[in-house]
């Protein structure tokens, strides 16, 4: 039977994303009611500081700095969690579900760390738990992975899932400018996490990899098991080398099944991406995720990956879904595929770019190449570079593992012809994007 009583919604957090969600609940009420089949009533907004002036025209009585009391009211249909961080977000989401509310969240840190507990709580209490906005911002990705591809076998995912780092690297590529200024801009645009370390050190992308693995591979991987390298060490010289090689530096997230095994490998790292790869021209804070499925083949999901307005679209989409299900009397948790294994995460093998500063490129090449080859690192191509009176060899290696490369580079650094510490970065080739 249709229930057309207003659905009560509480919003926890009214920052970059929460502000846009509340604005749309206020301005799009009739349209949302039409799609849901019942009006939506905003009954509370929890923030840290209720005295802060906010650019929102809402009833002043809605503000509270006591989110726990709000979620425990017992009459809330849907709690929208937009606080960030794992606590008190975890405790509030659990309390909300225990008191009968469905939960919509954009919080990848929360889902990566406590996804199993939250899904279990949702199932026990027969409520929805939806988090489309937690990966790739506005881009519909989690529902296609869980539902549309539910009958297929996903074999590999490679993507750009952090808008802040893509914005920073894009600015460095376009302007030749530095890391700090570009990051400052990303923070100003509202793309970054409350602590942008999470973005630039790859923690945010690693959390998203965990969520993607749970839906695509039905596998529970702890966030600490994701191989993770951030972008803080990326320099203007790396960016320029990439450009000279017909590549562009991106922070990529790769999920793949280990050959012949059930294990999955999850990794987040900067890579010099070939210009012909579908990820190479992803600009600004956009995200793109290439999903390879056994039957569907390659599928590309792409669009705005961060920012309050685009992210509000994904949050509102989940809100409409959860609300519609309530109206129709479906009080069960959204289906979640069973978690069937714990992954063991091995170190990745990759081709690499190497930059070896040398005293004289013409004479150093033989020595550097010999040391690399004897250390087990195959060499593909070699380029000589000279800038500001400094000479360097730029080499592209064949596939190698991290430990072998590290040992070989230590031997290279000890050569008398090598004038400064060698640098390296992984390569992502065009064939890996087909
Ligand atoms: P903000 O830091 O801009 O906003 C956080 C909000 O939560 C603020 O309103 C803050 O209150 C409130 N808050 C934080 N802690 C508490 C607490 N203990 N009690 C009450 N209120 C609290 O974050 P964003 O809007 O950027 O992000 C929110 C979530 O969405 C995060 O999980 C983030 O990862 C995710 N996300 C963000 C995207 C983006 O582009 N920004 C995109 C996709 C997901 P006050 O205003 O008083 O400080
Ligand atoms: N800080 C995140 C990013 C927000 O830059 O991608 C979107 O999840």
């Amino acid at each position: 039977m249709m229930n057309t009583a207003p659905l009560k919604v509480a919003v926890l957090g009214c920052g970059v994303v929460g502000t846009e969600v509340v604005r749309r609940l206020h301005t799009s009420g009739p349209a949302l009611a039409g799609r849901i089949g019942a009006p939506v009533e905003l009954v509370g907004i929890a923030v840290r500081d209720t005295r802060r002036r906010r650019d929102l025209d809402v009833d002043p009585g809605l503000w509270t700095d006591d989110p726990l009391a709000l979620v425990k009211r017992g009459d809330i249909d849907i709690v929208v969690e937009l606080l960030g961080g794992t606590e008190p977000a975890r405790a509030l989401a659990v309390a909300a579900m225990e008191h009968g509310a469905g939960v919509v969240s954009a919080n990848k840190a929360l889902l990566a760390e406590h996804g199993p507990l939250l899904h279990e709580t949702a199932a026990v209490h027969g409520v929805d738990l939806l988090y489309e906005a937690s990966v790739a911002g506005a881009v519909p990705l989690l529902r296609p992975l869980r539902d549309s591809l539910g009958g297929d076998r996903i074999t590999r995912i490679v993507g750009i899932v952090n808008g802040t780092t893509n914005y920073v690297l894009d600015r460095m590529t376009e302007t030749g400018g530095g890391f700090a200024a570009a990051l400052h801009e990303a923070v100003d645009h509202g793309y970054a996490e409350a602590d942008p370390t999470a973005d630039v050190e790859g923690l945010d992308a690693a959390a998203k990899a965990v969520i993607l693995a749970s839906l695509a591979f039905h596998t529970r991987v702890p966030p600490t098991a994701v191989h993770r390298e951030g972008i803080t060490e990326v320099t203007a010289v790396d960016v320029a080398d990439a450009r000279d090689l017909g590549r562009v530096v991106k922070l990529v997230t790769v999920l793949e099944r280990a050959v012949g095994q059930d294990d999955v490998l999850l990794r987040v790292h900067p890579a010099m991406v070939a210009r012909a790869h579908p990820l190479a021209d992803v600009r600004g804070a956009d995200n793109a995720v290439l999903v390879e499925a056994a039957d569907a083949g390659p599928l590309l999901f792409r669009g705005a990956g961060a920012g309050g307005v685009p992210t509000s679209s994904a949050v509102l989409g989940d809100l409409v879904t959860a609300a519609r299900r309530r109206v129709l009397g479906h009080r069960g948790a959204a289906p979640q595929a069973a978690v069937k294994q714990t992954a063991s995460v091995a170190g990745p093998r990759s081709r690499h770019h190497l930059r070896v500063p040398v005293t004289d490129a013409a004479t150093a090449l033989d020595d550097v190449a010999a040391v690399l080859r004897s250390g087990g690192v195959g060499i593909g191509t070699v380029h000589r570079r000279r800038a500001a009176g400094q000479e360097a060899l730029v080499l592209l290696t064949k596939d190698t593992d991290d430990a072998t490369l590290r040992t070989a580079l230590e031997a290279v650094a000890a050569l008398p012809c090598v004038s400064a510490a060698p640098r390296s970065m992984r390569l992502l080739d065009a064939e890996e994007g087909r």
Side-chain angles (χ1 to χ4, degrees):
M1 202 173 76
M2 281 282 271
N3 165 19
T4 52
L7 287 158
K8 292 186 167 52
V9 172
V11 176
L12 312 184
C14 198
V16 171
V17 181
T19 298
E20 299 306 329
V21 168
V22 168
R23 201 188 307 284
R24 276 151 190 76
L25 284 174
H26 195 60
T27 58
S28 308
L32 294 175
R35 290 170 215 161
I36 291 166
V40 170
E41 183 188 358
L42 181 60
V43 298
I45 309 169
V47 290
R48 246 181 320 228
D49 180 0
T50 54
R51 286 167 304 174
R52 184 184 294 175
R53 281 179 63 84
R54 297 172 198 263
D55 179 26
L56 281 170
D57 178 23
V58 294
D59 176 353
L62 293 180
W63 299 100
T64 176
D65 58 7
D66 190 347
L68 190 59
L70 180 58
V71 303
K72 283 184 162 182
R73 276 174 43 150
D75 63 343
I76 311 272
D77 291 289
I78 298 165
V79 168
V80 182
E81 185 279 307
L82 301 168
L83 303 170
T86 50
E87 291 297 347
R90 181 204 57 85
L92 293 167
V94 168
M97 292 191 272
E98 285 172 350
H99 286 78
V103 169
V104 170
S105 177
N107 188 338
K108 43 282 160 114
L110 173 67
L111 267 299
E113 195 67 50
H114 297 298
L117 165 81
L118 296 175
H119 278 288
E120 197 182 307
T121 309
V124 166
H125 295 280
V127 294
D128 284 311
L129 171 66
L130 299 170
Y131 43 92
E132 182 63 64
S134 66
V135 184
V139 184
L141 174 63
L142 302 191
R143 203 164 286 137
L145 285 178
R146 188 186 56 214
D147 298 337
S148 320
L149 293 167
D152 208 331
R153 182 174 191 271
I154 295 170
T155 51
R156 188 168 187 267
I157 293 179
V158 53
I160 293 170
V161 296
N162 183 269
T164 300
T165 48
N166 202 61
Y167 182 90
V168 168
L169 294 169
D170 193 34
R171 293 293 288 162
M172 288 172 74
T173 302
E174 283 307 300
T175 67
F179 176 89
L183 179 58
H184 195 75
E185 285 177 26
V187 171
D188 277 354
H189 286 304
Y191 301 147
E193 295 303 295
D195 177 358
T197 310
D199 297 288
V200 297
E201 293 292 0
L203 291 156
D204 179 78
K208 291 164 175 168
V210 168
I211 296 170
L212 290 174
S214 73
L215 296 171
F217 297 153
H218 317 297
T219 300
R220 183 180 300 167
V221 182
T224 48
V226 180
H227 175 93
R228 177 175 58 80
E229 301 163 34
I231 65 161
T232 51
E233 305 291 315
V234 174
T235 66
V237 174
D238 298 325
V239 169
D241 270 0
R243 189 188 301 115
D244 291 347
L245 293 164
R247 293 172 177 269
V248 59
V249 179
K250 299 283 181 195
L251 184 74
V252 299
T253 297
V254 183
L255 293 82
E256 53 200 353
R257 294 179 190 271
V259 178
Q261 299 170 37
D262 273 347
D263 290 349
V264 298
L265 310 178
L266 309 189
R267 51 192 168 100
V268 173
H269 55 75
M272 291 189 184
V273 180
R275 280 273 175 206
H277 192 285
L279 298 186
D281 68 344
V282 176
R283 305 295 309 275
D286 278 5
N287 285 185
V289 179
L290 184 67
V291 176
E292 290 167 24
D295 296 331
L299 301 164
L300 185 64
F301 299 83
R302 178 173 175 161
V309 171
T311 305
S312 73
S313 165
V315 173
L316 264 291
D318 278 352
L319 178 62
V320 167
T321 301
R324 207 187 273 141
R325 288 168 55 80
R326 284 242 159 184
V327 168
L328 294 173
H330 300 166
R331 291 182 60 93
Q336 152 86 339
V339 171
K340 69 177 183 202
Q341 68 196 26
T342 301
S344 80
V345 181
R349 286 181 67 84
S350 312
R351 293 180 65 224
H352 284 78
H353 152 275
L354 306 180
R355 167 174 269 268
V356 185
V358 289
T359 46
D360 177 356
T363 56
L365 176 56
D366 285 350
D367 290 349
V368 170
V371 167
L372 285 172
R373 286 202 184 99
S374 72
V377 177
I379 299 168
T381 55
V382 181
H383 309 260
R384 289 187 201 167
R385 295 282 183 260
R386 189 183 175 83
Q390 283 237 313
E391 293 208 39
L393 294 171
V394 168
L395 307 99
L396 301 189
T397 73
K398 303 212 165 131
D399 228 18
T400 183
D401 65 82
D402 284 5
T404 302
L405 184 71
R406 198 168 36 245
T407 308
L409 283 182
E410 279 165 14
V412 167
L415 286 170
C417 61
V418 173
S419 56
R423 299 183 59 74
S424 70
M425 191 180 291
R426 294 173 204 283
L427 303 178
L428 188 65
D429 290 321
E431 318 66 273
E432 298 179 72
R434 289 201 199 106

